[in-house]
Amino acid sequence: MEDIQGLPENVLSNGDVYIGNFKDGLPHGKGKYTWFEGTIYEGDWEDGKMTGKGKIIWSSGAKYEGDISDGSLHGFGTFNYSGGSIYSGAWRMNIHHGIGRKIYANLDSYEGSWKEGKPEGCGRHFWSSGNSYIGNWKGGQICGKGIMKWVNGDYFIGFWLNGFRHGSGVYHFADGAYYFGSWSKGLKDGKGTFYPAGSKPPSLEKWHNFLGYDIDGKGFLSRTLSLNPVKEKAPKRGLKHSFSERISHTGISNPGGLSSWPTWMDENWGLSDPSREPSGDKYSHVVSHTSDQGQHNVLPHNDRMAYEREYMQGVLIQERLKDYKKLLHRSKEQKKTTVKEAKKASCVNFSESHRSFYLMLNLQLGIRYSVGKLTPVPMREVRSSDFGKRARMVMYFPRKGSQFTPSHYSVDFCWKDYCPIVFRNLRLMFKLDAAEYMMSICGDGGLRELSSPGKSGSIFYLSEDDRFVIKTLKKYELKVLLKMLPKYYDHVKEHENTLITKFFGLHRITINGRSKVRFVVMGNMLYTELRIHRRYDLKGSTLGRFTDGDKPKDVITMKDLDLSYEFHMDKLLRQSLFKQISLDCKFLESLHIIDYSLLLGVHFRAPEKLKAFLEPPVTAHDHGESSQGESTVPSKALMLVTHEPSNVTTTPGPHVRGGPLKAYSLGDSEVDVLLPGTARFRVQLGVNMPAQTSHKLVENKPESSEVELPYDVVLYMGIIDILQEYNVKKKLENAYKSLRYDPLSISVVEPHLYAARFKSFLEKIFHDLP
């Protein structure tokens, strides 16, 4: 450095050497500091601290050049590791944080966003083998939406979780075949459609629009990456001793442990080369004679044909040959619901094209305001006044903002929060942290509207993390909920295992002084990391209780007459289930509530006899192509084991409060359900409940097969639709009769008879294990 040439060396007692400028006895300006063990810093100083531009060379051979603040790598700089890796980008307190590019010693590279030293956010990784991934990351792992591309020409567009394909996606094979479906932890799971090479699959344009870039990453770099340095002020750190003391006696300590720091940072982070999907046709012979008709001989030359397939944990359970034109027609029909029909069915009657966007934004603004307003209020027991007419929180949200509300992009609206103290206590009862609750509903990811309104005309939204369901209510439903709320609160407080819907907030939005939309926030009873293969809404009735047979069974909620099998459960688990069902039915009967349902979610485990055909899970951590040899298959689909809190995979959803259940088969001990190769869950009432069943698949199509298979299943359940009063329904029935409608179209049953029928039906489908 020319600025320090000719300046004398200052040799300290510990052997360190400083050459440079001083101010008030402290290094200031340009200077060079050499530690005794060989580390050298040359650059800017400020009041005895390494701050500004500089270069550090460690004795190990590692080198850094760039911004430094208060002795830490902070800002923008380039680090050359002793092992050969190079990182150039943003830093925060000695850690990669921000936008950066790293080239590893093995010639892999990552370019994108970093957080606390690990890739997080948008980024792209190139393996030296030629494979690549562009998309989202979290905690150093592929997580979120993205595209994996293999050097052989295969690629996958869709969702990932912890390095595994997880969620919906599209797999393109190098030979031109496509598979549109869903995955769970790297294995195909659920229904999908396979388009052989030579056929014409649906356009991938919507996937590219959703991702914001195409298969080659065009648009990704300009949208997400900029390696321009971003200035960020480093937090001040206190020092035990002044630099003047250190210089005069022992020299300057290596700030932030920099002398040893490159050792652990020099580890070659980087993902193992990802494997690709097995051949699209490899498992087509597994299921039945329908797939033995010569898939390669027929379909590659017929662009109108495709296979509908269903998988369970990588096992192909069912396959049907379908006419592609019919599939295309169905897809178009499903998109047709629409604005006119939604307006007729919906209780939302303002007609802007961005109606749903406004509603979601208003709801998020209101909930953020209400939760924030209540957070500083001390926790206390509810009082009778907390349920009264005055138990309301009202606020006006003008678009330009006000003294109490932020500006926003929606329309002016008035917000009303009903019984805020009661619902705050209910949330605390279920250990819902206020900040987590607010972020789940009001986070940047927003809410997701379900594809079609329910039969009642209600609109449903899901929170970003699927933990909460938000439903619009009719005026009379809101009145019923407010009327029953005191007794509901007491029931939920007394019975921690209640299966009844968990309510966490009740709100109303008024737009333009006229349009009023009422919302209730509920816990999602089917919240689980497992895939729910079938959903049922069970009332114990046969009147109109079936669904359209042409609709995919894994995406619709089916009804009583669609249920074609029974469940066999551990004796004590079933006993606990029906004890609580009886208590809940008695409670609803006391309030004259009818027409409620049991929402049942079923997760199937792959049948033992077909596990020999298990496709190996594909993860970003596997090496090379998938093995064509025998897979390691767990001996059991699931098993009950003694409860161990420390070994449980995940915490339950927001609708669960009770403790683990006891099982007769394990000597009345509290139990977990172990799903080998998947997870271990705590068994609670209505959540993670294991059972066994036999399912008979019978199709009416001539090309279909009939297969008899035993299944192990995991059940999720809860009692929903509890806002229908007998008196209101009776009035509606009488109105139908006066209009000469068939009175059976609204079948009204007295509360005690409805409860008896409901319980009787459930007793016929849930049995003790033999």
Side-chain angles (χ1 to χ4, degrees), residues 161-207:
L161 179 67
N162 299 329
F164 292 95
R165 276 171 271 175
H166 191 86
S168 58
V170 180
Y171 196 100
H172 169 265
F173 298 90
D175 64 1
Y178 284 85
Y179 180 75
F180 290 72
S182 58
W183 283 256
S184 293
K185 294 190 174 181
L187 296 172
K188 292 192 186 80
D189 203 3
K191 287 207 172 183
T193 305
F194 176 73
Y195 298 88
S199 62
K200 294 181 180 179
S203 171
L204 299 181
E205 183 179 358
K206 69 173 185 179
W207 280 98

